[in-house]
Amino acid sequence: MLEICAGSWDSVLAARDGGADRVELCSGLAEGGLTPSVGLIRAACGLGGLKVHVLIRPRGGDFLYTEAEVALMEDDIRRAVDAGVDGVVVGSLTPDGDVDTAQLRRWVAAAGGRSVTFHRAFDLCRQPEQALEAIIDCGCNRLLTSGQADKAVNGLSLLAQLVTQAGDRLSVMPGSGVNADNAAAILAATGAHELHASARRTVTSRMRFRLGGVSMGQPADEYTRLETHPDEVRAIRRALSGLQA
């Protein structure tokens, strides 16, 4: 199962055309991913050809949420379910770095039986083995993690341990820095059956008139962006083809 993190409509199309099985739909990838617009969710769900999971994250920064933020996320989950998503992606921690099970149970309930992935908030928790059990106990179907490393290739030991610990209770999905050169090795080393990648390339703006010295934020260059490219997705799929044989 190859999941592509898609932050725009063009990236959704590229993921589908490149042979992805599923997209994690989001916005604000420069901030680690934020909740996408309802319009984008509906368009992706109406496209066909791939499953759609939606990231539910109201802001950048840490994963310690207020009651108001938790309620907003519940509403976003229900709206995503109404739009036809196959699953949602959530996560939160307590001030002490444990999984906030009370919040997580609320989001699982709001998902109404849709698939629930706990995202890389896990990579900032203090006790990964204990956190995994809490995530399973709350009813999540999947864990997206780099193995508490900067890139999944540097977290292989913990990833393999988590796959073994989870067994058939939950799918551990390695993510972060996954590409065609390392995808097969990550699966082979960990025993995982799903991978998460962005498969992006730099895209140059089609703007002819360009005004320098004005930035809308980060990154400072308003005339380039990163988008999923179908050839990058295809390359990962080819790298995995030997494992699927």
Side-chain angles (χ1 to χ4, degrees), residues 24-37 41 54-65 69-70 72-74 76-77 88-92 107 119-121 124:
E24 182 201 48
L25 200 62
C26 59
S27 65
L29 282 170
E31 293 192 74
L34 302 173
T35 306
S37 73
I41 295 171
V54 173
L55 176 64
I56 306 296
R57 186 179 179 218
R59 57 163 173 79
D62 63 30
F63 300 101
L64 180 63
Y65 295 118
E69 289 174 322
V70 173
L72 288 172
M73 293 167 75
E74 278 186 294
D76 281 337
I77 290 170
V88 296
V89 183
V90 296
S92 68
W107 297 329
H119 58 48
R120 292 190 61 213
L124 300 179

Side-chain angles (χ1 to χ4, degrees), residues 63-113:
F63 300 101
L64 180 63
Y65 295 118
T66 66
E67 171 58 30
E69 289 174 322
V70 173
L72 288 172
M73 293 167 75
E74 278 186 294
D75 188 47
D76 281 337
I77 290 170
R78 294 190 180 99
R79 290 177 183 272
V81 169
D82 289 343
V85 301
D86 299 288
V88 296
V89 183
V90 296
S92 68
L93 300 174
T94 68
D96 293 321
D98 298 315
V99 173
D100 193 316
T101 55
Q103 293 179 358
L104 184 54
R105 289 183 190 279
R106 288 173 61 176
W107 297 329
V108 170

Side-chain angles (χ1 to χ4, degrees), residues 159-171:
L159 284 167
Q161 178 183 328
L162 294 170
V163 169
T164 299
Q165 180 183 340
D168 61 2
R169 297 179 297 162
L170 171 145
S171 177

Side-chain angles (χ1 to χ4, degrees), residues 5 37 103 110 137 244:
C5 181
S37 73
Q103 293 179 358
D137 187 59
Q244 294 171 337

